[in-house]
Amino acid sequence: MSTDPIKRIVAGVRDGLPGTVEVFLTRTWEQVPAYAASPDPNLRSDVASHAEAVFRAVLITLEEGRDAVREDFHLSAGQAANRVRQGVALADFLQAFRLGQVALWERIVEIAAPDPETSQAALATASHVMQVIEVGSTVAAEAYLNTQQLELAEGDRIRRDLVEDLLAGREVPAGPRLEVARSSATDGRP
């Protein structure tokens, strides 16, 4: 066992990473209804991959003794875009991020509790963990909002093109415009 308490914490979190991810997933599905309600069958595995990547970013920056930077969260932008498409609201996405922080912190405390020196080191890591999660949640929230804006703009473009087709008397081609036209029908017929 390493004599450096920070290294003991990092090693302990790494060794128990699958369990920490599972604790986070269970809490997220219990406490954030949007996750349980999503029909996307890939959501749980997507969230697990994202959580593991964020936890690893904490561990890497802790090992290297440096603050987190945006580049530590390369997976977060894509995951945020997925959440938009999976029907998870930004508030729910950020709540899940916080639940991940709590699960990680509880694991750190669990590792540090038996040893006074490691416990003292764990206290010093609290602000570090918060800084890493702050950077990660900022990157994720920005990516979420960018994706959401792009999706809204695309929806507006499709509706505009549909109106132009209808006003010009053109047949609406198969695809998104026709789907919007069908979903907008108000005559009650299938």
Side-chain angles (χ1 to χ4, degrees):
M1 176 183 275
S2 170
T3 58
D4 180 350
I6 296 295
K7 288 182 181 176
R8 286 195 298 264
I9 291 168
V10 169
V13 172
R14 266 203 188 102
D15 289 346
L17 200 54
T20 305
V21 169
E22 190 55 41
V23 165
F24 157 69
L25 290 171
T26 298
R27 288 179 184 169
T28 299
W29 260 253
E30 289 173 353
Q31 296 178 32
V32 189
Y35 284 82
S38 175
D40 189 324
N42 297 318
L43 180 61
R44 193 172 181 95
S45 63
D46 284 352
V47 173
S49 295
H50 188 215
E52 184 173 331
V54 170
F55 295 164
R56 287 189 185 281
V58 172
L59 298 176
I60 290 167
T61 58
L62 196 55
E63 270 182 318
E64 294 175 356
R66 65 173 176 83
D67 285 343
V69 294
R70 299 176 74 79
E71 292 74 24
D72 291 317
F73 298 94
H74 62 279
L75 189 62
S76 291
Q79 289 295 314
N82 287 348
R83 294 309 163 272
V84 171
R85 292 181 199 101
Q86 291 162 326
V88 175
L90 179 58
D92 296 328
F93 182 51
L94 293 177
Q95 181 182 0
F97 228 94
R98 289 187 300 275
L99 289 170
Q101 180 180 0
V102 170
L104 178 63
W105 181 247
E106 287 173 349
R107 178 66 180 143
I108 290 170
V109 169
E110 178 185 338
I111 293 162
D115 176 55
E117 183 184 21
T118 308
S119 292
Q120 195 63 33
L123 289 174
T125 67
S127 62
H128 180 84
V129 171
M130 290 169 51
Q131 186 273 334
V132 174
I133 298 299
E134 176 63 27
V135 172
S137 62
T138 298
V139 168
E142 288 171 354
Y144 183 101
L145 291 172
N146 287 338
T147 300
Q148 189 177 48
Q149 288 173 344
L150 288 172
E151 297 241 334
L152 288 171
E154 177 64 10
D156 287 346
R157 185 195 60 77
I158 290 168
R159 287 186 290 282
R160 183 197 68 231
D161 290 350
L162 172 62
V163 168
E164 288 175 5
D165 286 343
L166 294 172
L167 290 174
R170 292 187 294 260
E171 186 173 329
V172 178
R177 283 183 264 173
L178 186 57
E179 290 174 25
V180 169
R182 285 183 177 148
S183 70
S184 298
T186 58
D187 63 9
R189 289 183 289 176

